[in-house]
Amino acid sequence: MPDCQRSLRGARRRARRFSVSSPRRTPSAATKLGASHRLIAPAHSLTMPSLEGIKERVEVSLDWAAALPAARALIRNGFAVRDHFEDARSPVDVIDRILSSIVESCSRSSSKDDFDIEIQVSDRLDEMRAPKGCLFFVWANSGDPQYIPLRPIFEQLEGNPWQVRLMASLYRWLYLTSWRVFHAFGFSEAKSLYEWRKESYTDARESGEDVDLEGEVEYADPANVVSYIKSSERLRLKAGEIGAAMSSILNKDLRDAFDRARHMFERSRRIKLPEMSDDCRAILEEAAYYMEGDPFPAVGISHWRDDAIVAWFDDFCQDQFNSGVTCRAPIIRCFRPNDTKSLIEIVTALPRMVETVFALSEWVRWAGEMENACQYSDRG
Amino acid sequence: MRVSTQIGDRREFILTKAVLIYEDQVQKREKFATVHDVIRAGATQQERQLAPGSLLTTSFLKRLAAGLDRAAEAVLLPENVLAYTSDLLIWWTPPRLHPMYFSDGAEDRARITGRICPHPPLVWKVRRGCLYLRALLEPSRPTAGTALMAAPYWNTEVSRGDVCEGDMPRPPETDVTTMLQWEEGFFNSRFTHPSGIGKLTTHPGGFIGLWTELADSLAFPVHYLSATKQTLAQFAEQ
């Protein structure tokens, strides 16, 4: 029986033949071990065993398979260079380095981000809940809201026949550029808030409540906003007028500032982020359930600090602060890990978005300097 | 402007405790474990050392198990399984026919080896990789109070039922899918000698007399089984 013979207990078994004195007959029960204090360490041992050579720290990466298609697509589309792979511990590291280097490549020595932009590619919005099978691109402003006053510029154009039309265009360039990368607060927002508040006050008064409609609402009526902002769409320069209007600005610094604003506006119009599919939109709404507040405005743009836009800008920001709600990031895109087309569109748009933020930051600082330089007595 | 990428999880584990296992060098059967904190010592607090240990306790094991816990998959139990825990499996088998194999030796056992013999219903227990065996009077599923009989085999100790396995083939892991491997490993190995001093059978001719009579017969006469003082419940707890 060859199959039996292979597994027979064999001669070794006989060599261990049972002996009456063998301790196997009466194996020690666990309860017969010595008291625990005797077992804590061998009595003859003077030192504890060495830990030399034992790995003290272990880092583990889990569930990063969703990063693989993204990393592969970035490599295939030429976004990755050798440096991105040096000492990278996972595809997630590679993606992080690629995004970081895109941001760095858009920065000049003077570049400064006054809006504290946070850029994130993640598989979750909420630390506690990661929806299955999707990635998020999140772009959020996190600093205090900035403000661009236009009055000092308006007054530098005193006597220029294009003054109002130039200011209307400048307002639109700044306002519409801001909206490409975050939420801005201008005349439209002030008007919407005013009308909503006026309606709710009117309703309250009709219900017999004692509310100060005139005192609070009429004071900040956007109808009183300067015309080059209020009617900017109508007053803005037409394409054929821009050259002549810009040439009419004699102050070189001022003309450069207008030029930068126009250039920034034109570049920002080429920012193209992907549209989300219906299912990704639904996933995003579910995942962003805790972001109950509207995006926090990154910048307010008005004529001066005493106008209705600033009044409603302050009011809106105060409400957001006091409500304690988490504000939604201004730009969020949800896409499937295998939807590398969306990822590549995002990464392609990223340099223009970054450049736009740097350019707006530069404009905020320049406008701040202009404001500080003027001597108005009614500064708020 | 800050960039961050978070896909999946990244965890960092730091050595905080060490478990040392001490083993009896004679029989290799008794072990105990101590658990030690890992501390930093030396002038720069960079030298890692083990702090004095304490005997590994059940509560420590619970904490460790909780830390390592993974949802266990549901296991469907075959109908002959009697008990199943992480380190214990007990099952029973009905009477069967199977050849008996003996090591080389006296002429009496040479006459039996390789011949098909009837075997009684058996209760098998594997605890922490060690095999224990008992016999049953009835060919039916035993209950907790069922009295167990000594398994009438050499290499099987009477008082506890533990089998001296030698180099008997055995599965690397024990679960409900490897019960047959244990059974076949047992029957397809040679019996070499009696274990201990207990009575394996009530047959008047003793062990060799029993199996000489049974060779080539069809049914095991259970009145030749020798009683033990154990019930199934006691066998399981042992």
Side-chain angles (χ1 to χ4, degrees):
Chain A
M1 281 188 202
D3 58 331
C4 295
Q5 292 299 322
R6 276 200 306 273
S7 59
L8 299 183
R9 285 191 175 94
R12 195 152 68 86
R13 193 73 206 88
R14 289 197 302 280
R16 290 196 282 154
R17 201 172 178 84
F18 172 76
S19 151
V20 172
S21 60
S22 166
R24 185 178 299 148
R25 292 181 59 211
T26 53
S28 303
T31 51
K32 290 181 181 173
L33 286 172
S36 63
H37 68 272
R38 291 191 198 159
L39 303 176
I40 287 170
H44 59 276
S45 176
L46 295 175
T47 56
M48 301 306 292
S50 167
L51 285 174
E52 196 173 343
I54 292 178
K55 200 169 176 62
E56 186 192 17
R57 193 176 294 263
V58 179
E59 195 172 289
V60 180
S61 295
L62 305 163
D63 298 332
W64 45 256
L68 282 173
R72 204 177 291 130
L74 291 170
I75 293 165
R76 282 184 185 151
N77 285 273
F79 289 101
V81 296
R82 181 176 295 274
D83 283 355
H84 298 140
F85 299 94
E86 294 282 338
D87 302 322
R89 290 169 295 183
S90 71
V92 180
D93 276 359
V94 173
I95 295 171
D96 194 72
R97 291 174 187 195
I98 291 171
L99 297 179
S100 297
S101 64
I102 288 172
V103 171
E104 281 169 22
S105 69
C106 299
S107 309
R108 291 167 293 170
S109 58
S110 60
S111 297
K112 189 168 175 288
D113 166 21
D114 285 7
F115 305 98
D116 286 343
I117 296 294
E118 293 179 352
I119 304 162
Q120 189 180 41
V121 172
S122 173
D123 58 0
R124 70 201 65 180
L125 294 181
D126 176 4
E127 198 53 46
M128 304 302 291
R129 297 202 319 177
K132 290 289 177 199
C134 61
L135 296 176
F136 298 96
F137 168 75
V138 181
W139 167 284
N141 51 296
S142 58
D144 289 339
Q146 300 294 332
Y147 174 59
I148 299 178
L150 298 178
R151 178 177 170 185
I153 301 157
F154 177 81
E155 295 192 351
Q156 285 212 20
L157 290 172
E158 194 68 50
N160 187 316
W162 296 95
Q163 182 192 36
V164 171
R165 310 268 321 268
L166 275 167
M167 290 306 296
S169 285
L170 178 63
Y171 171 77
R172 290 185 63 77
W173 290 337
L174 295 173
Y175 176 78
L176 294 176
T177 299
S178 300
W179 268 100
R180 302 296 293 184
V181 285
F182 33 61
H183 281 210
F185 200 99
F187 175 74
S188 295
E189 290 68 37
K191 187 163 175 264
S192 296
L193 267 181
Y194 168 80
E195 286 170 356
W196 174 79
R197 186 71 64 83
K198 185 177 179 183
E199 190 178 331
S200 59
Y201 272 32
T202 306
D203 287 350
R205 177 174 284 184
E206 285 171 359
S207 304
E209 292 178 38
D210 182 23
V211 291
D212 185 10
L213 181 66
E214 291 78 15
E216 240 182 277
V217 176
E218 290 193 355
Y219 157 73
D221 187 349
N224 300 323
V225 168
V226 291
S227 63
Y228 71 83
I229 289 178
K230 189 170 58 181
S231 307
S232 63
E233 168 63 26
R234 180 174 56 81
L235 293 172
R236 69 183 170 89
L237 295 164
K238 303 294 181 284
E241 299 171 322
I242 292 175
M246 296 285 267
S247 302
S248 72
I249 304 171
L250 300 177
N251 183 316
K252 183 178 180 304
D253 287 346
L254 191 61
R255 191 168 62 243
D256 286 348
F258 269 82
D259 209 36
R260 285 199 308 274
R262 180 187 167 207
H263 182 68
M264 172 175 77
F265 167 69
E266 287 174 351
R267 278 189 65 79
S268 72
R269 292 178 72 182
R270 295 202 291 269
I271 294 172
K272 293 274 188 288
L273 287 169
E275 288 295 317
M276 282 185 284
S277 63
D278 289 344
D279 69 322
C280 284
R281 198 179 295 279
I283 291 169
L284 172 58
E285 290 312 311
E286 177 75 16
Y289 72 99
Y290 66 97
M291 299 177 177
E292 295 171 312
D294 289 332
F296 203 79
V299 63
I301 306 169
S302 83
H303 181 70
W304 193 238
R305 291 184 183 269
D306 62 357
D307 65 17
I309 294 175
V310 170
W312 289 111
F313 183 37
D314 275 349
D315 188 80
F316 181 78
C317 291
Q318 287 294 336
D319 269 2
Q320 290 276 53
F321 275 126
N322 295 336
S323 67
V325 299
T326 302
C327 294
R328 184 175 282 222
I331 296 174
I332 309 178
R333 290 291 184 278
C334 174
F335 56 99
R336 298 288 185 189
N338 288 325
D339 178 11
T340 51
K341 181 171 173 286
S342 290
L343 174 79
I344 296 302
E345 284 178 17
I346 290 167
V347 175
T348 304
L350 193 57
R352 287 203 182 99
M353 296 170 73
V354 173
E355 286 168 6
T356 300
V357 167
F358 285 143
L360 275 169
S361 297
E362 192 180 345
W363 236 97
V364 165
R365 289 196 301 280
W366 184 78
E369 287 167 15
M370 296 285 286
E371 182 185 18
N372 288 334
C374 60
Q375 301 293 322
Y376 308 129
S377 59
D378 57 349
R379 290 171 64 183
Chain B
M1 197 170 285
R2 292 182 294 280
V3 175
S4 66
T5 309
Q6 188 194 4
I7 300 172
D9 284 319
R10 179 175 289 168
R11 311 265 178 82
E12 191 174 70
F13 296 85
I14 293 176
L15 183 65
T16 57
K17 287 183 187 293
V19 176
L20 304 183
I21 299 171
Y22 297 85
E23 185 178 54
D24 158 32
Q25 288 301 290
V26 179
Q27 300 173 57
K28 311 276 187 191
R29 292 180 68 162
E30 302 293 351
K31 295 177 186 175
F32 69 88
T34 54
V35 58
H36 303 252
D37 283 332
V38 174
I39 57 173
R40 292 183 179 278
T44 58
Q45 294 286 298
Q46 291 301 309
E47 188 183 328
R48 283 164 289 132
Q49 286 184 354
L50 290 181
S54 57
L55 196 63
L56 193 143
T57 62
T58 309
S59 64
F60 173 83
L61 285 176
K62 281 179 180 168
R63 285 201 305 278
L64 186 64
L68 299 173
D69 188 32
R70 294 286 181 276
E73 288 183 19
V75 177
L76 296 178
L77 297 179
E79 60 183 1
N80 64 329
V81 171
L82 302 171
Y84 186 31
T85 67
S86 59
D87 63 352
L88 172 72
L89 177 62
I90 302 178
W91 71 101
W92 79 282
T93 52
R96 71 170 76 180
L97 294 172
H98 203 285
M100 291 282 281
Y101 299 107
F102 290 91
S103 59
D104 298 339
E107 196 177 324
D108 51 1
R109 74 180 82 155
R111 284 199 298 269
I112 312 167
T113 195
R115 293 171 68 182
I116 293 174
C117 299
H119 296 268
L122 295 170
V123 176
W124 307 73
K125 177 173 94 171
V126 178
R127 183 190 284 278
R128 293 175 192 147
C130 296
L131 178 64
Y132 300 77
L133 198 61
R134 290 296 196 201
L136 292 168
L137 289 172
E138 300 291 333
S140 58
R141 183 184 174 93
T143 62
T146 301
L148 301 184
M149 314 302 283
Y153 304 106
W154 279 357
N155 305 89
T156 304
E157 201 265 337
V158 173
S159 67
R160 295 164 52 86
D162 55 327
V163 175
C164 186
E165 296 159 27
D167 54 3
M168 169 187 128
R170 38 176 291 168
E173 301 288 336
T174 298
D175 58 37
V176 294
T177 66
T178 58
M179 295 186 301
L180 191 61
Q181 290 181 55
W182 277 105
E183 295 167 27
E184 297 204 331
F186 178 79
F187 282 121
N188 289 336
S189 303
R190 294 191 211 193
F191 296 103
T192 58
H193 63 284
S195 281
I197 56 172
K199 195 173 182 180
L200 287 172
T201 176
T202 58
H203 192 282
F207 178 83
I208 293 296
L210 171 72
W211 291 104
T212 302
E213 180 186 324
L214 292 179
D216 300 329
S217 67
L218 294 176
F220 188 99
V222 292
H223 59 272
Y224 286 147
L225 289 175
S226 174
T228 69
K229 294 177 180 174
Q230 270 187 330
T231 61
L232 176 60
Q234 290 164 333
F235 183 57
E237 289 165 7
Q238 161 192 293

